Amino acid sequence: MAEEELQRHRAPEPVNITVLRARHLRGSKGDGLSSLVKVEYGSSTLGESAKVDSTNDVAAEYNFNAKFDCSFDDPIVLDEIAFKPVLVTVIEVLPKEKKQKEEKTVLLGQCTVDLLPLVRGETKYKSTLVIHSLPGSPLESIPADGPKAEIDVVVSVTEPLLSEDQLKESNLLTITVEAGYSVPETWNPSGTQYMYNITLPVPLNAERESTVVISNGVLKAVNDKEPPSKQKKWPVPGGAQGGAVFIPDKFVQAVSYDEEDGELAGKEDREFRVEVETDKNRVIWNCERRCYIEPSAVQSLQTKIAHTRFWPVELMRMPMPSAAKAKGKEEDNPIFFHGVAYVNLAPLLYPGVNKIRGAFRVHAYNEAEIVEKTKRKGGLAEEAARMATSMYRNASPSIKAGKTGKDEKGGGKDKDKDAAKKPSQMLKPGQQAPDAMSEVEAPASQNLEGMQYDEARTYIILEFSLQRPMVPKRAPEELAKRVAEYIPPRPLFPRRTNGAQRAVEDFHQQVANIGNMVLEEFRSEFGNQLDNGQLPCSNDAQEERKRKLMYELNTSGKYFAFKEQLKHSVVKIVREKYLKTSAFNNKEELQAFLSELYVFLVDQMHAGIGKVLSLEDETPVPAPLTDSAQLKHFAREAEVNEDFGLAAKYYQERLARNRNDADHWFDYGSFCLLINDISKAEECFKETVSINAQHLYGLLLYGVICSVEERNEVAETFFETASCVDQDSVLAWTMLGLFYDGINNDIQAEYAFMQAQKINQANAVAKMKQQQAIEQQANASQAPGGNEAKITEEPASEKAESEKGPLLPQFTKTPATPTDAKIPLRPQSKDKTPAYKKRMSVSSKSDGNPSGSNESDFAKGTETSQKAFSQDNQRIRSATSNMQGSKMGSRPGSADQEEQQKEQIPVPESSIFMIAVEFLLEVKATQFCERALAHELLIPRGGPTAVYYVALARLKLQRKELQEAQDSLNQALLLNYQDPNAWSIMGHLRYLQGNMPEAKDCYERTLAFVADAREMHAIYLRLASIYLQDGEFQRAKDTFLLACKHSPSCISWLGVGIACYRLGEMSEAEDALCEANILNNSDPEVWGYLSLVCLQTERQLEAEQAYKYAIKVNLKDGELLKEIQAVQEQVGYGNPQF
């Protein structure tokens, strides 16, 4: 604010306009001509130059300087410099004829000089502008391929109009009004001509708003087509005519419908838009209005957008005003067809977004609706009509606002009059507008003309662009730095230091190297005797060989070389181990140290030689029988069985094998979330991110932990970093939106959800194209030579699938119809072949991932198709592409656009919230999962789906809320009675409730479906265990074998062994139990049943050993212990206590 106050008290700054020269001018009487230039700004004439002679080849050197003062006491002056041009008119002066009092002049052409660089901080710039010919000008005769007339203009100021701080804190809003389509049928282009005005308020500072008026709209008929490149016009051209009304080098960019914001961006509106934009009348503006927004106005604009979101843009029609104002009369400016478009400017508050563009519906102007939607009292119509009339008469309303002495005498009347015409004002929170409210309460007259906008579905194309985003987006480098501050990255390998241990190790290495070289010398000297076996071993012979070897080393100089080689390592030991770096004070101290050092070096020499000459073979460490993926599968199996101690053991074993694997830490952290050990989970996710700073899931889960602990600033950093790590991740953007929603930041949440929906839609399109490519390959394979083509194209398809990225959850859509519609709820006879045997050859999905990747855990989600998402939902509309800049695209009416309309638009198989729900259920983040499910209900698509209720039931099961889970499953089955996931979870629910008959019915029904449920392994294990309890051992064996084929584990093989033992198949039982023992040699039940098998097969020693191991690993199954002891008493052995 202090900076703004200093700026207001600053002396006016002169803006110098220097017209240097003009080239390629053509006069009325041949090539030679005399000309001058006239410079205007707004309605003021800044001056005319002297006459200058020139020809077609010789430039007209004007060197004319004009200037005007830029004052700083009112921000509207800088605003005018941003949108008002300097008009330069080239005038030919004809020679005087006889009896002619004054010289005749001919207007040759005009050009406009843009002053916008001054508002951007420049102090001097030069422009070479084309001189646009005026009607009847000799310049019209210049051929199209000839050199065009042009002029050089220099604009300069002594000091920048804005200081460095103001440039950083201020902004520039550019409003582009393109056209209005589907206008009322009563508008006739060939009838009476009218003015079509657009007006809206824009903040000037914290208290004031200016009224922006764009009044050069032209009603055009259907057959009046526009050129492909539409150049933008000046909003206040002043006296400019012809081509001078266009802004140099500014064109309307063609943008496809997919890249638009607005109310008509949906797929269902495209046919209507193509029709009205090609076959109906329209109003064309193609006008650009720049608005300078000082720092206080930037904050005001941001606050108002956050408060109301909607910004009113009024549209009106009025008769053409007379050429001059009648003297002594109050001029009446009637307004017709008063409408308003409510533009949602909230996207301008998204991080990094500086532009929105789209089609916005025009509605009948209604004061009550204005107050409700925009919290504004009063409209801008009357003020806009007055300003439009002034602009039509080539006068600037802002310059005319300066009071003369006569006006000052009027005093109070003028002030009251201006107060009545001031722009609409924003209501403060809690404030009411008494005038507006009284009008709302009173029966207002209907705006019948404005209602025609609603009947015709009129809309206007608008673009709002900022020079820089109001909410800057943090760069990935900055986010990475912040993450490193919270969690320092862990080096992949321990840092090597020159410590004492390292010095000793270097000494050992040098001793080993020298020992090898001495050995080589010995072999070269006595190798022949050694090979022939003639090497004597007496003491005298050994002494003789030693003497010869020492003589050879000394005479060759190798002995000295060996000492030099050892010297460096000995010096390191002295410095690093004994910390001696300075000279000794006396000889006694030196001798004592040398003695101690000699003893140490001799001992270390023997240790080093011992390492090299050791003849004992070390026992190799056997390779583990299980890999990381199997351990993870065993841990997940233990989680399902609620054996959390065993699950923790498996996760910790994975960490013990490789502590530098980020996925191992992440999985362990997810398990800690399940058992509600939040502090340990946080440490695990910290380790995940420290190992791999770009681990998407680790970043998300650490953000979840911080959000739960209400450390929102840290959580925001990690969620935002995740969206930067993988910018095409639906999950990352959805999680960011859920976080912002939790802290009531609706605008940021809306932006994140829109980005996620856009990516989700793009993934659906990519998948549809891939399926179409596969179908084309299949069709081509039926033709001759098709098989070869299919073989060569398959790798490319696999590559395209892999390029989607491993971090994005994928969901498959599969049918859910049972193989037999008449299958009973429960089997009628035990002798009948079970339905699940038909599935022995069906490959089912694994709970574990053989590759060790996290992605498969999140890729087993929803199987049921969902309805189309409505484009009316603000938070998930897929029209945010233009936030990153305007892109060229196909325009309505073109052949490409019409072809695109006919293309099938795919519907994503899962909503962005269900993708997040699937991930959050897998990682047990229940709080965010509940939030995501709540958002799923808000999607306007006809109510919750079966997939939603299944996910809700899974969440309730994780929280042990069994009754609520049952209610959700009942709703899911009402919506889709053939959903295998619903039936499988219903089976789990009955199993946990102890209702085994109904649990068995649900599991059997699940296995009867063609489509697999998401957790087949748990279904196999629990169904087979029920069979064991019911005594159906053959069915239990078959089901356990299915689990082993699906993903073998200790529990599945143990089940096979128990079933075979009960069936009397001792050999098969022993084989199965041995497999179980290999996978987990500390399972007490495995040792117990192995003891039983050995007792039954009369193997006393093995039976006793198995029994001792069962007791050692704490066998707690009392019934199994009783059975073992009974068999031991029966056979008379097996228990060492006998």
Side-chain angles (χ1 to χ4, degrees):
M1 294 299 293
E3 185 74 23
E4 294 180 18
E5 289 297 327
L6 291 174
Q7 182 79 353
R8 290 192 183 98
H9 293 89
R10 176 181 168 184
E13 180 71 28
V15 178
N16 299 297
I17 315 295
T18 305
V19 182
L20 299 179
R21 66 189 62 83
R23 293 179 291 274
H24 310 304
L25 296 179
R26 177 170 297 187
S28 303
K29 297 181 180 181
D31 292 340
L33 77 157
S34 296
S35 61
L36 58 86
V37 291
K38 179 182 178 181
V39 181
E40 302 172 76
Y41 176 66
S43 60
S44 302
T45 300
L46 302 183
E48 293 183 0
S49 71
K51 290 189 298 182
V52 175
D53 295 332
S54 65
T55 64
N56 192 23
D57 297 329
V58 178
E61 298 288 344
Y62 299 112
N63 293 321
F64 172 69
N65 184 63
K67 66 179 180 179
F68 67 91
D69 289 336
C70 172
S71 62
F72 301 96
D73 56 348
D74 194 341
I76 200 170
V77 177
L78 285 172
D79 184 56
E80 288 179 349
I81 291 177
F83 73 87
K84 280 187 181 180
V86 170
L87 179 63
V88 179
T89 306
V90 181
I91 305 172
E92 180 186 8
V93 182
L94 299 177
K96 279 187 180 181
E97 298 180 358
K98 293 180 179 180
K99 299 181 181 180
Q100 185 177 344
K101 295 181 179 180
E102 296 181 357
E103 297 174 330
K104 288 186 177 181
T105 58
V106 177
L107 299 180
L108 294 181
Q110 293 178 328
C111 65
T112 50
V113 182
D114 196 350
L115 300 179
L116 184 62
L118 296 179
V119 185
R120 290 178 172 168
E122 295 188 29
T123 57
K124 185 176 181 179
Y125 60 94
K126 179 181 177 181
S127 302
T128 300
L129 304 167
V130 175
I131 301 174
H132 301 279
S133 62
L134 296 175
S137 167
L139 296 181
E140 290 183 326
S141 61
I142 297 178
D145 56 347
K148 294 184 179 181
E150 57 186 17
I151 193 168
D152 296 334
V153 181
V154 175
V155 181
S156 63
V157 291
T158 306
E159 296 291 336
L161 300 185
L162 297 173
S163 64
E164 290 293 333
D165 293 337
Q166 285 182 309
L167 285 173
K168 292 178 181 178
E169 297 174 4
S170 63
N171 215 323
L172 189 71
L173 174 65
T174 302
I175 304 167
T176 303
V177 182
E178 296 185 19
Y181 295 103
S182 188
V183 297
E185 296 290 341
T186 56
W187 291 8
N188 185 7
S190 59
T192 306
Q193 298 299 307
Y194 294 92
M195 290 181 66
Y196 299 91
N197 302 329
I198 293 286
T199 180
L200 69 157
V202 173
L204 273 178
N205 52 32
E207 296 83 18
R208 293 176 55 193
E209 286 185 340
S210 67
T211 301
V212 172
V213 178
I214 299 173
S215 63
N216 54 3
V218 179
L219 180 63
K220 291 194 174 185
V222 176
N223 54 4
D224 189 0
K225 301 298 182 183
E226 295 183 71
S229 58
K230 296 177 288 187
Q231 193 168 3
K232 295 182 180 181
K233 298 178 183 178
W234 291 106
V236 184
Q241 303 176 43
V245 301
F246 296 102
I247 305 175
D249 302 325
K250 290 284 186 177
F251 296 89
V252 175
Q253 299 291 330
V255 179
S256 66
Y257 292 135
D258 288 331
E259 298 177 342
E260 286 187 357
D261 292 291
E263 302 167 359
L264 296 173
K267 307 294 188 297
E268 66 275 7
D269 299 314
R270 292 189 178 181
E271 185 177 353
F272 164 72
R273 289 188 59 179
V274 170
E275 178 184 356
V276 299
E277 291 176 19
T278 54
D279 300 334
K280 289 190 177 183
N281 299 339
R282 61 203 181 277
V283 179
I284 303 298
W285 283 276
N286 291 335
C287 184
E288 177 180 290
R289 170 65 153 87
R290 295 89 167 258
C291 305
Y292 168 72
I293 308 178
E294 65 179 28
S296 61
V298 172
Q299 184 61 40
S300 174
L301 178 63
Q302 188 170 346
T303 303
K304 291 174 180 178
I305 294 175
H307 184 48
T308 64
R309 289 175 176 257
F310 293 105
W311 205 263
V313 179
E314 298 181 38
L315 169 64
M316 66 198 76
R317 188 175 85 165
M318 57 183 291
M320 286 290 186
S322 58
K325 181 178 180 181
K327 294 183 179 181
K329 291 184 179 180
E330 181 69 26
E331 189 170 16
D332 185 22
N333 299 310
I335 298 170
F336 306 101
F337 291 93
H338 193 186
V340 61
Y342 299 102
V343 181
N344 183 11
L345 294 185
L348 292 180
L349 299 185
Y350 297 162
V353 175
N354 63 346
K355 184 171 72 171
I356 62 170
R357 181 190 183 277
F360 299 92
R361 288 283 308 275
V362 181
H363 306 279
Y365 182 87
N366 183 285
E367 190 72 28
E369 191 176 15
I370 288 282
V371 173
E372 179 185 355
K373 286 194 172 184
T374 67
K375 306 295 186 294
R376 292 177 178 273
K377 56 180 181 180
L380 306 175
E382 294 183 3
E383 176 72 8
R386 183 185 68 81
M387 295 174 64
T389 302
S390 299
M391 286 189 287
Y392 179 77
R393 291 171 180 158
N394 264 343
S396 172
S398 61
I399 291 181
K400 284 193 170 184
K403 297 184 181 295
T404 62
K406 195 176 289 187
D407 292 331
E408 291 174 1
K409 294 178 182 179
K413 288 185 178 180
D414 292 336
K415 289 184 180 179
D416 295 340
K417 186 175 177 181
D418 291 339
K421 292 182 179 180
K422 64 182 179 181
S424 63
Q425 295 181 359
M426 190 83 175
L427 295 177
K428 296 180 180 179
Q431 178 185 357
Q432 291 187 351
D435 298 337
M437 293 303 160
S438 60
E439 292 177 7
V440 173
E441 294 171 2
S445 59
Q446 291 185 341
N447 185 359
L448 298 179
E449 290 180 336
M451 291 180 181
Q452 295 186 36
Y453 291 129
D454 294 290
E455 296 173 0
R457 297 183 66 188
T458 304
Y459 63 92
I460 53 177
I461 306 295
L462 300 172
E463 178 180 291
F464 292 80
S465 177
L466 292 166
Q467 184 177 1
R468 65 180 63 86
M470 284 193 288
V471 181
K473 186 175 183 179
R474 291 191 284 184
E477 296 79 10
E478 180 186 352
L479 290 170
K481 183 178 179 181
R482 294 288 299 276
V483 169
E485 291 175 359
Y486 291 123
I487 304 177
R490 180 201 290 180
L492 293 179
F493 301 100
R495 184 177 299 173
R496 303 305 295 258
T497 58
N498 292 326
Q501 185 64 29
R502 175 68 183 275
V504 173
E505 290 175 356
D506 288 347
F507 180 74
H508 289 170
Q509 183 67 32
Q510 294 300 328
V511 168
N513 294 338
I514 294 173
N516 287 327
M517 287 186 285
V518 172
L519 184 59
E520 290 296 326
E521 288 294 328
F522 181 85
R523 287 171 179 169
S524 63
E525 189 71 25
F526 306 104
N528 294 331
Q529 300 178 20
L530 187 63
D531 294 338
N532 298 330
Q534 300 176 357
L535 193 67
C537 296
S538 63
N539 292 333
D540 294 339
Q542 290 180 3
E543 288 295 329
E544 181 64 22
R545 286 195 297 271
K546 178 180 178 181
R547 186 184 62 79
K548 288 183 178 181
L549 179 61
M550 293 298 296
Y551 176 78
E552 181 64 27
L553 292 176
N554 279 291
T555 55
S556 63
K558 292 180 181 180
Y559 184 81
F560 177 78
F562 292 160
K563 287 198 300 181
E564 289 296 321
Q565 187 171 345
L566 275 176
K567 183 184 294 183
H568 180 68
S569 59
V570 173
V571 170
K572 285 178 63 177
I573 289 177
V574 172
R575 290 178 177 176
E576 299 293 338
K577 183 171 180 61
Y578 291 96
L579 305 178
K580 300 294 185 181
T581 57
S582 59
F584 290 91
N585 296 327
N586 51 64
K587 292 185 178 181
E588 291 79 5
E589 186 179 354
L590 174 62
Q591 290 298 326
F593 171 72
L594 292 178
S595 300
E596 181 183 358
L597 178 62
Y598 178 77
V599 172
F600 176 79
L601 292 178
V602 170
D603 292 340
Q604 294 301 322
M605 179 193 68
H606 289 300
I609 294 176
K611 289 180 180 179
V612 178
L613 301 180
S614 176
L615 300 178
E616 297 181 2
D617 294 332
E618 295 183 359
T619 304
V621 179
L625 299 174
T626 54
D627 57 15
S628 176
Q630 285 179 304
L631 290 175
K632 180 179 177 180
H633 168 60
F634 298 161
R636 296 293 296 272
E637 184 182 67
E639 288 178 17
V640 172
N641 295 331
E642 298 186 354
D643 190 350
F644 299 128
L646 183 60
K649 173 188 170 184
Y650 284 125
Y651 283 123
Q652 291 166 3
E653 185 174 347
R654 294 179 78 208
L655 290 174
R657 291 187 182 183
N658 187 0
R659 299 184 64 85
N660 289 325
D661 192 322
D663 291 339
H664 293 178
W665 287 103
F666 175 80
D667 293 333
Y668 189 35
S670 301
F671 167 73
C672 293
L673 280 182
L674 175 63
I675 61 177
N676 203 28
D677 192 346
I678 304 299
S679 59
K680 187 175 290 186
E682 180 179 358
E683 292 301 318
C684 291
F685 297 135
K686 270 188 175 181
E687 290 291 332
T688 303
V689 177
S690 68
I691 295 171
N692 182 5
Q694 295 189 340
H695 195 283
L696 178 66
Y697 300 145
L699 292 168
L700 291 176
L701 265 294
Y702 190 78
V704 168
I705 295 292
C706 294
S707 177
V708 170
E709 296 178 350
E710 297 184 354
R711 290 181 287 154
N712 293 329
E713 184 179 353
V714 181
E716 181 180 12
T717 299
F718 280 86
F719 283 123
E720 197 172 344
T721 304
S723 66
C724 290
V725 166
D726 187 357
Q727 297 184 359
D728 294 329
S729 171
V730 177
L731 177 63
W733 285 107
T734 307
M735 292 292 292
L736 179 61
L738 291 174
F739 163 73
Y740 281 130
D741 180 75
I743 61 175
N744 297 322
N745 192 337
D746 294 338
I747 292 179
Q748 300 277 42
E750 178 182 310
Y751 170 66
F753 291 148
M754 289 169 69
Q755 288 291 93
Q757 178 63 18
K758 172 187 169 184
I759 299 169
N760 197 27
Q761 185 66 43
N763 292 340
V765 172
K767 186 174 182 180
M768 182 189 70
K769 291 181 179 179
Q770 185 181 11
Q771 291 175 349
Q772 291 175 351
I774 294 174
E775 291 175 1
Q776 292 175 359
Q777 291 178 8
N779 295 334
S781 64
Q782 297 176 2
N787 292 333
E788 182 179 353
K790 182 177 180 181
I791 292 172
T792 57
E793 291 179 5
E794 277 181 354
S797 175
E798 293 175 1
K799 180 181 179 181
E801 182 71 23
S802 64
E803 287 175 352
K804 290 182 180 179
L807 298 180
L808 185 64
Q810 302 291 330
F811 299 93
T812 55
K813 181 179 177 182
T814 54
T817 54
T819 55
D820 187 1
K822 297 182 181 180
I823 184 170
L825 184 62
R826 298 190 63 178
Q828 296 178 356
S829 173
K830 296 182 180 180
D831 297 330
K832 287 189 177 182
T833 303
Y836 61 84
K837 284 191 176 181
K838 301 177 185 177
R839 298 175 43 82
M840 287 293 290
S841 61
V842 179
S843 63
S844 55
K845 299 178 183 177
S846 173
D847 244 359
N849 184 5
S851 65
S853 171
N854 282 317
E855 179 186 4
S856 65
D857 296 326
F858 311 138
K860 307 169 189 168
T862 56
E863 310 283 347
T864 314
S865 63
Q866 301 184 9
K867 299 180 181 179
F869 303 121
S870 170
Q871 299 298 326
D872 294 334
N873 190 345
Q874 289 184 13
R875 292 193 171 184
I876 58 172
R877 187 177 297 127
S878 59
T880 57
S881 302
N882 60 340
M883 297 171 188
Q884 300 173 357
S886 176
K887 299 179 182 178
M888 295 297 292
S890 57
R891 288 301 299 160
S894 65
D896 294 339
Q897 182 71 22
E898 293 177 0
E899 187 67 25
Q900 289 178 7
Q901 304 302 319
K902 299 178 183 178
E903 291 182 2
Q904 181 183 2
I905 305 301
V907 177
E909 295 174 0
S910 296
S911 71
I912 59 174
F913 300 112
M914 290 310 299
I915 291 175
V917 165
E918 198 63 34
F919 166 76
L920 293 168
L921 285 173
E922 288 292 335
V923 298
K924 291 83 179 177
T926 56
Q927 185 175 3
F928 267 66
C929 182
E930 190 171 20
R931 194 178 300 170
L933 286 171
H935 276 280
E936 178 70 11
L937 286 178
L938 298 177
I939 298 179
R941 54 177 182 172
T945 62
V947 178
Y948 164 81
Y949 282 116
V950 170
L952 182 59
R954 291 173 59 194
L955 175 63
K956 298 301 181 182
L957 274 183
Q958 286 188 5
R959 292 181 170 179
K960 303 302 179 185
E961 299 171 358
L962 303 184
Q963 184 58 46
E964 296 181 12
Q966 182 175 344
D967 296 340
S968 299
L969 289 172
N970 291 336
Q971 292 293 331
L973 292 173
L974 285 176
L975 294 173
N976 185 3
Y977 200 70
Q978 298 177 351
D979 187 351
N981 288 310
W983 284 108
S984 66
I985 297 175
M986 181 67 82
H988 295 328
L989 176 64
R990 298 304 185 195
Y991 188 90
L992 294 175
Q993 291 174 337
N995 192 342
M996 298 306 171
E998 290 191 17
K1000 182 169 72 171
D1001 293 341
C1002 294
Y1003 288 143
E1004 288 176 344
R1005 179 180 288 272
T1006 303
L1007 295 181
F1009 288 114
V1010 172
D1012 285 340
R1014 60 177 310 279
E1015 291 183 349
M1016 295 302 298
H1017 187 73
I1019 296 170
Y1020 289 139
L1021 293 182
R1022 287 183 170 176
L1023 178 59
S1025 66
I1026 295 174
Y1027 285 149
L1028 280 180
Q1029 294 177 16
D1030 293 346
E1032 301 178 49
F1033 302 124
Q1034 185 60 46
R1035 301 181 74 177
K1037 173 186 174 182
D1038 295 338
T1039 309
F1040 274 124
L1041 283 173
L1042 277 177
C1044 293
K1045 181 179 180 181
H1046 169 258
S1047 47
S1049 66
C1050 174
I1051 296 177
S1052 60
W1053 281 116
L1054 173 61
V1056 175
I1058 295 173
C1060 291
Y1061 176 78
R1062 301 303 179 194
L1063 291 171
E1065 301 170 354
M1066 298 301 166
S1067 177
E1068 294 183 9
E1070 185 175 359
D1071 292 341
L1073 292 171
C1074 288
E1075 290 288 340
N1077 202 11
I1078 290 173
L1079 296 176
N1080 184 6
N1081 60 3
S1082 61
D1083 190 303
E1085 291 189 31
V1086 175
W1087 289 110
Y1089 278 100
L1090 275 173
S1091 178
L1092 282 175
V1093 170
C1094 293
L1095 289 173
Q1096 296 291 351
T1097 54
E1098 300 181 355
R1099 289 180 289 174
Q1100 179 179 356
L1101 180 60
E1102 295 177 7
E1104 290 182 356
Q1105 288 179 340
Y1107 178 72
K1108 285 192 292 185
Y1109 275 114
I1111 299 301
K1112 183 178 180 180
V1113 294
N1114 195 16
L1115 178 60
K1116 296 180 180 179
D1117 191 340
E1119 295 184 359
L1120 179 57
L1121 275 174
K1122 290 180 181 180
E1123 183 178 0
I1124 294 174
Q1125 291 171 359
V1127 176
Q1128 288 172 346
E1129 292 177 359
Q1130 181 181 350
V1131 299
Y1133 54 84
N1135 190 341
Q1137 295 179 356
F1138 288 171

